[in-house]
Structure formats: C-alpha cells, structure tokens
C-alpha cells in the first residue's frame, strides 16, 4: 500500500511479462532453411553433328531463407555430377559439357526437366544416276534402257531409282524402278527392257539425265555426223566431218555446207559404214 498526500491509502497490482519488447523486438534466433530447386534446362547446339561438344545449362534457384548446397546431376548421358553452393534468394547456372554422343536422338533429364538433343551423322550417302543409256534398234527388236547409279557420299545408303518414259505431252510415265543399296563409291544398274513397237525417237529419264531411244523402220538408213574439224592455210579454209550410216540399210546422205560459202556433197553408205567428207573453201577479202 501507499499513503497518498491526503493520507488516503491505495493499493496497486504490478505484473511482469516476458513478452514485453519495448520499441525494438529482440533478434530472431530461429535458423533459416535453404529451398533449392531446378527451374529449367537448355542444350546447345541442338541439333548437333557427331563430334561436336554439347553444352547443357541447368538453372538452379534457392527460394529458401538460408544458403545451402545442392548436387546437380544429369540423366541420359554419362557426365560427372556437380555440387554447388547458393545463397538464399539467389539463382545460378550449372553448366555441363557433353562429348562423344553418337548419331541419334538423346533425351537428357534433370529434376523433372528434359531436353531432346538430336545428333546427326557427318557422313551421308549421296546416290545419283551418273549414266543413262539407250540403244538404236530396228522395229520389233528388244531394247534395254540402262540407268547406272553411284553412291558419291561417304556413308552407305539406299535410294529408289526410277526410269520414266517422257511423252511429247503429259506427265512422265514410270517404266521401271529399283531400290539400290550402296556403300561409298558403289554402283548398281536399273534396266527397263521391252520390245519396240513403234518407229520414232522415245525419250527416257532417270534422275537428272535423259536419253533418246531410236527405233528404226526395217530397211531404213540413218546417218550421224561426228569428228568435225576445221583448219586454215592463208585464205584457204578446210572443213571435214565423218558421216556414218547407223541404220540397217544402204542409203545416201547429203552433207550441206552453209554460211559464207555454200556447198553440198552426197555420200552413199552401206549400213554400218562411214566416210570422211571434206570441203575446201577459198575465202575472199571483203
């Protein structure tokens, strides 16, 4: 009790509490905890070639209240795991370099994330039609159109080689096809064989090449010119060419020279025979 100034007695009840902070709370001594997780991953280059190194980047975030460590490991590839230290609230990239992957698709995983890395072979097959041949036949004879394919690449491969007949109008018509499987430098042939049923020139195509099959009437002469040459001595000019009867009967060809000096010569040849034809011209000054 306390006696006041007037002599009146009063009583007061005083209590104490350990929750009294005053104006500044005491420090929190509760320890924080890290909360580290993977938030994403990337791979580059993708696609890659055999022999290239591939960089895989894993993004890690510590969303806890204390620094901590985390071991980051990749699945789907053989690579050493990495243990990283990361402060609270911070993020970082964990980088892996991967080598030695074979051609194909590789799925790389990390903590629920994944990325498909495509690795292509640097070796490739390159199969081309390098030759297309057709004979000259007499009506009723059997002919063969032959396409030769070669693998110009540095790996084995397969390709479907097609021989088409190309009509004067309309789309090409498939006549023969074959799937060839070739190693580097290997060759194979595709042959379209049939009996000739009409006289004329028939065009065939395979790959980027074309060829003309000539079907002759029975008893017909046909001529070809080759080995054309020219020379000059002073004002005299000489021209020469070889004429051959590639038909199946005797016939006469007329070789005509045109230009500044006109002229012609008739040549009669048996089937299969050839002859050299020459012209000599004296050029006059103009």
């Amino acid at each position: 009790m306390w006696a006041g100034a007037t002599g009146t007695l009063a009583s007061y009840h005083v209590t104490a509490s350990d929750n009294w902070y005053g104006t500044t709370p005491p420090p929190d001594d509760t320890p924080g905890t890290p909360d580290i997780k993977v938030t994403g991953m990337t791979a580059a280059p993708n696609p890659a070639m055999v022999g290239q190194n591939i960089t895989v980047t894993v993004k890690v975030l510590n969303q806890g209240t204390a620094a901590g460590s985390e071991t980051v490991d990749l699945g789907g590839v053989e690579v050493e795991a990495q243990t990283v230290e990361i402060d609270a609230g911070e993020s970082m990239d964990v980088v892996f370099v991967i080598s030695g992957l074979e051609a194909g698709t590789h799925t790389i995983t990390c903590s629920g994330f994944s990325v498909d890395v495509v690795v292509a072979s640097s070796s490739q097959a390159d199969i081309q039609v390098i030759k297309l041949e057709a004979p000259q036949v007499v009506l009723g004879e059997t002919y063969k159109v032959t396409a030769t394919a070669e693998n110009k690449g540095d790996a084995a491969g397969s390709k479907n080689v097609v021989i088409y007949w190309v009509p004067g109008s309309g789309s090409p018509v498939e006549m023969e096809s074959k799937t060839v499987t070739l190693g580097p430098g290997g060759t194979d042939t595709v042959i379209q064989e049939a009996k000739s049923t009409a006289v004329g020139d028939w065009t065939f195509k395979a790959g980027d090449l074309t060829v003309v099959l000539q079907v002759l009437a029975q008893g017909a002469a046909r001529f070809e010119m080759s080995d054309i040459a020219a020379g000059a001595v002073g004002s005299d000019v000489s021209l020469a060419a070889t004429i051959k009867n590639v038909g199946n009967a005797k016939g006469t060809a007329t070789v005509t020279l045109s230009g500044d000096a006109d002229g012609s010569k008739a040549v009669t040849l048996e089937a299969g025979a050839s002859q050299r034809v020459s012209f000599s011209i004296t050029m006059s000054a103009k």
Side-chain angles (χ1 to χ4, degrees), residues 47-67:
M49 302 297 292
V50 169
Q52 274 188 299
N53 288 340
I54 298 167
T55 300
V56 176
T57 303
V58 178
K59 294 187 176 296
V60 179
L61 169 68
N62 184 356
Q63 57 186 9
T65 56

Side-chain angles (χ1 to χ4, degrees), residues 92 97 103 114 149 213 272:
M92 68 184 304
V97 178
S114 67
L213 167 71

Side-chain angles (χ1 to χ4, degrees), residues 86-282:
I86 182 169
D87 291 333
E90 297 295 321
S91 63
M92 68 184 304
D93 291 341
V94 184
V95 178
F96 298 84
V97 178
I98 302 169
S99 60
L101 292 184
E102 297 181 350
T105 300
H106 302 266
T107 300
I108 303 174
T109 62
C110 183
S111 299
F113 290 88
S114 67
V115 61
D116 289 333
V117 176
V118 178
V119 180
S121 173
S122 57
S123 299
Q124 295 182 347
D126 182 14
I127 298 176
Q128 304 176 18
V129 176
I130 61 168
K131 186 186 298 184
L132 186 61
E133 300 172 292
Q136 183 182 79
V137 297
V138 174
L139 181 64
E141 292 181 341
T142 297
Y143 68 86
K144 291 182 180 180
V145 177
T146 304
T148 302
E150 179 181 356
N151 184 356
K152 294 182 174 292
D154 52 7
S158 298
K159 184 174 183 177
N160 188 43
V161 179
V162 183
I163 297 176
Y164 296 93
W165 166 54
V166 183
S169 61
S171 301
V173 179
E174 181 177 327
M175 303 299 292
E176 188 69 41
S177 68
K178 175 182 173 182
T179 299
V180 297
T181 300
L182 302 172
T187 61
D188 199 356
T189 57
V190 181
I191 299 175
Q192 192 266 324
E193 181 175 356
K195 183 178 181 179
S196 59
T197 58
V199 173
D201 293 341
W202 308 95
T203 301
F204 290 83
K205 181 179 187 298
D208 295 329
L209 304 181
T210 58
V211 69
V212 175
L213 167 71
Q214 296 179 333
V215 180
L216 305 177
Q218 295 180 354
R222 191 178 183 91
F223 298 91
E224 290 183 352
M225 181 182 296
S226 62
D227 300 330
I228 300 173
V233 177
S235 60
D236 293 332
V237 177
S238 62
L239 299 171
T242 298
I243 308 301
K244 182 176 181 179
N245 183 353
V246 296
N248 57 7
K250 181 178 179 179
T252 299
T254 299
V255 182
T256 301
L257 181 69
S258 61
D260 291 339
D262 296 330
S264 63
K265 290 186 178 181
V267 180
T268 300
L269 298 171
E270 299 287 343
S274 61
Q275 181 177 324
R276 193 75 172 164
V277 178
S278 301
F279 294 86
S280 182
I281 307 165
T282 299

